[in-house]
Amino acid sequence: MLRILSIAGLVAVFAAADYLEFAPATLVDGLDEIAALLERMLPPRLDDPGRIGVLAIETLLMAVLGTVLATIASVPLAFLAARNTTPHPVVHAAARALITFCRAMPDLLIAALLVRGLGIGVLPGVLALALHSIGMLGKLFADAIEQTDPGPREAVRATGVGYFREMINAVVPQVVPAWIGVFVYRVDINLRTSVVLGFVGAGGIGFALQDALRGLTYPRALGIVGVILLVIAAMELLAILVRGLLLAPTTPHPRRERVARVTLGTVVAAATIAALVVLEIDPWSLITWVGPAAEVCGRMLPPDFGALGGELVDAVVQTVAIGLVATAIGVVLSLPVGILAANNIAPHPTVFWAARAWILVVRAVPELIVAVIFVAALGLGPVAGTCALAIGSVGFLGKLVADAVEEIDPGPVEAVRAVGGGWWKTLFAAVIPQAMPSIVGSGLYLLDVNIRTSTVLGIVGAGGIGFLLFESIRTLNFEVAGAIVLVVFVLVYLVERVSGWIRSLLV
């Protein structure tokens, strides 16, 4: 089965590359243009550091507030979506469907629609982050609930308490550690996402970056990217610290863990209040947004599939092809970087830190920004989008590969080294065989992510269905936009189902 799927995957990748007219020679021929563009970006500069600093803080607060709102919505939704706590199978199916819908719809698309309904500003950006985050938080929260030990529930139920007391006293204490880890990780993701929301007028530092790119003031754009890198790197280090204190203590210390959780809760609460104040968001608007948003969504019905015809089919095929080719390139480039970034197998500390730094830098720059650079260097079209996603894949999959390698059983590694096996022998005999199941699963998840991302690359002219989508929204052709939104949802949902099926066969 593995061989058949591998051959089918290779055939699909080569067919996709041929459809896109993507060839290594195309990228090699464009290296001079890329080098010239990078030269024009140097040296970086910040014309208005005060304003950029304020926008960076606003971006961070948007990420925190969006994640907090998503968490508030995801907790009750998770109890309804978990098989062992849902009140009825129909409720379970409806909750899971809502979670899947939120996960399938790209955050940038949600932001663009909300901007049309609510106007330009940070509120559509915060709501877009929250709605999209429900797709991840709701699923992982529900999964954590389903994995809880039923013993404490039975003990609490025996005392005669109701459903809510049973959930609070027996289930919540078991899932809190997992929920905290997911929350911290989602803040990290939302910070990266919020950087590009300004491209559709949804606030944050992305608006200033887009303004610099449109004005062709590349040194200023590079300076803003540098600020983004610093903010995201600081957030990455903070997330590592929080996970270390709360989720992986070196020695059991209940009092310290309790203090750490209370401190984290206090910091998050303070950041949430600060976000409402600094971003000038009326708490009431977090409820009243539903009306205008529903009005915009209502204008997308009934969807008009006939206006675009074959152009829509071609855009869908192009989107899938971009995701396939970018994932294939990303896998090839990520494996060596990820292996060298694993602390237990890296040949030298310098190599380890260099690989980790490279992964951090690549992960810190959103694919949409990379796509803008490639479009400027290589021209409009799917080749630029494919290159951007491929580079972004190195940061995404490289980290997952490194984590998978670090989590392998050290026994086989020590056994190979004990019989005189060198670094290469250890790698191929003891490391890769153990890490391969996780790597395969991560590669399939990367394909899922890349096809979702490729649906919005068209906003900067990097190919795919995104161009048709955002053009229809810009020109107020909401019936056409509704048709494209449904196509995007079905496409992403099918890819998620197929990749899940393949993972179940291989992992």
Side-chain angles (χ1 to χ4, degrees):
M1 179 60 72
L2 176 59
R3 180 176 298 178
I4 295 174
L5 290 174
S6 298
I7 294 173
L10 287 174
V11 171
V13 169
F14 282 113
D18 180 69
Y19 180 82
L20 298 175
E21 299 181 356
F22 182 91
T26 305
L27 183 57
V28 172
D29 293 340
L31 289 178
D32 291 338
E33 286 78 6
I34 295 174
L37 177 61
L38 293 176
E39 185 177 352
R40 290 164 60 191
M41 287 183 166
L42 297 173
R45 74 169 191 265
L46 287 176
D47 296 333
D48 190 354
R51 175 173 175 267
I52 299 302
V54 170
L55 290 175
I57 294 174
E58 288 183 356
T59 302
L60 177 59
L61 293 176
M62 286 173 60
V64 173
L65 182 58
T67 310
V68 169
L69 294 176
T71 301
I72 294 172
S74 297
V75 169
L77 189 61
F79 281 100
L80 299 178
R83 288 185 178 88
N84 56 339
T85 58
T86 187
H88 194 277
V90 175
V91 176
H92 164 76
R96 284 285 180 176
L98 179 58
I99 290 172
T100 300
F101 180 81
C102 291
R103 190 168 65 254
M105 299 308 297
D107 34 40
L108 204 63
L109 167 59
I110 298 174
L113 293 174
L114 289 175
V115 164
R116 282 298 175 187
L118 305 176
I120 293 175
V122 296
L123 179 60
V126 170
L127 294 173
L129 292 174
L131 291 172
H132 186 67
S133 297
I134 290 173
M136 173 183 169
L137 296 180
K139 179 181 185 300
L140 296 182
F141 284 5
D143 291 347
I145 292 173
E146 291 180 345
Q147 295 168 9
T148 55
D149 182 2
R153 288 188 61 189
E154 295 172 359
V156 173
R157 190 183 306 129
T159 64
V161 301
Y163 175 84
F164 291 103
R165 288 289 301 276
E166 179 184 332
M167 296 300 105
I168 293 173
N169 294 334
V171 176
V172 172
Q174 295 187 66
V175 298
V176 163
W179 285 5
I180 290 176
V182 173
F183 174 84
V184 172
Y185 183 51
R186 189 65 210 188
V187 172
D188 187 26
I189 293 175
N190 280 345
L191 178 58
R192 289 171 167 81
T193 303
S194 61
V195 165
V196 297
L197 292 179
F199 279 69
V200 294
I205 199 172
F207 182 79
L209 178 60
Q210 183 194 40
D211 186 55
L213 291 171
R214 282 182 174 176
L216 304 182
T217 53
Y218 293 120
R220 180 168 174 261
L222 184 58
I224 296 174
V225 169
V227 173
I228 294 171
L229 283 172
L230 290 176
V231 173
I232 292 179
M235 187 64 204
E236 178 97 2
L237 295 175
L238 180 61
I240 292 173
L241 176 63
V242 171
R243 284 194 290 265
L245 288 174
L246 298 178
L247 306 177
T250 54
T251 57
H253 201 308
R255 178 180 173 80
R256 191 191 69 175
E257 293 174 28
R258 186 163 55 250
V259 171
R261 290 179 184 178
V262 171
T263 302
L264 175 63
T266 303
V267 171
V268 170
T272 302
I273 296 173
L276 294 173
V277 174
V278 174
L279 301 178
E280 298 180 354
I281 294 178
D282 181 2
W284 182 243
S285 65
L286 299 177
I287 299 175
T288 57
W289 68 272
V290 177
E295 181 183 353
V296 171
C297 293
R299 294 165 64 185
M300 300 170 73
L301 298 174
D304 183 2
F305 290 94
L308 297 175
E311 192 176 1
L312 179 58
V313 176
D314 180 68
V316 171
V317 176
Q318 190 177 94
T319 296
V320 176
I322 291 173
L324 281 171
V325 176
T327 301
I329 297 173
V331 168
V332 172
L333 298 179
S334 299
L335 285 176
V337 175
I339 290 171
L340 295 176
N343 195 30
N344 58 336
I345 197 65
H348 192 275
T350 302
V351 175
F352 164 76
W353 286 112
R356 279 287 178 175
W358 172 246
I359 290 174
L360 175 62
V361 170
V362 174
R363 286 182 66 229
V365 183
E367 291 87 348
L368 202 65
I369 296 176
V370 181
V372 170
I373 296 174
F374 275 102
V375 165
L378 303 178
L380 299 172
V383 173
T386 304
C387 293
L389 276 185
I391 290 179
S393 299
V394 175
F396 183 88
L397 186 58
K399 183 179 186 301
L400 295 180
V401 170
D403 293 345
V405 171
E406 288 182 345
E407 292 171 0
I408 63 172
D409 182 1
V413 176
E414 295 171 358
V416 173
R417 290 172 177 169
V419 297
W423 189 82
W424 289 102
K425 180 67 175 178
T426 303
L427 178 65
F428 287 102
V431 176
I432 292 181
Q434 293 190 77
M436 187 53 66
S438 294
I439 293 174
V440 171
S442 298
L444 290 171
Y445 180 57
L446 174 65
L447 174 62
D448 185 2
V449 171
N450 276 348
I451 290 183
R452 293 184 196 187
T453 306
S454 65
T455 60
V456 298
L457 289 177
I459 192 175
V460 295
I465 200 172
F467 175 78
L468 298 179
L469 177 57
F470 288 99
E471 187 66 15
S472 63
I473 294 175
R474 186 184 67 82
T475 57
L476 305 182
N477 291 322
F478 288 104
E479 294 84 359
V480 175
I484 300 174
V485 167
L486 288 177
V487 169
V488 168
F489 172 73
V490 172
L491 172 63
V492 173
Y493 180 77
L494 289 176
V495 169
E496 182 177 319
R497 294 289 103 187
V498 171
S499 63
W501 172 71
I502 295 175
R503 277 197 297 270
S504 68
L505 294 176
L506 300 180
V507 181

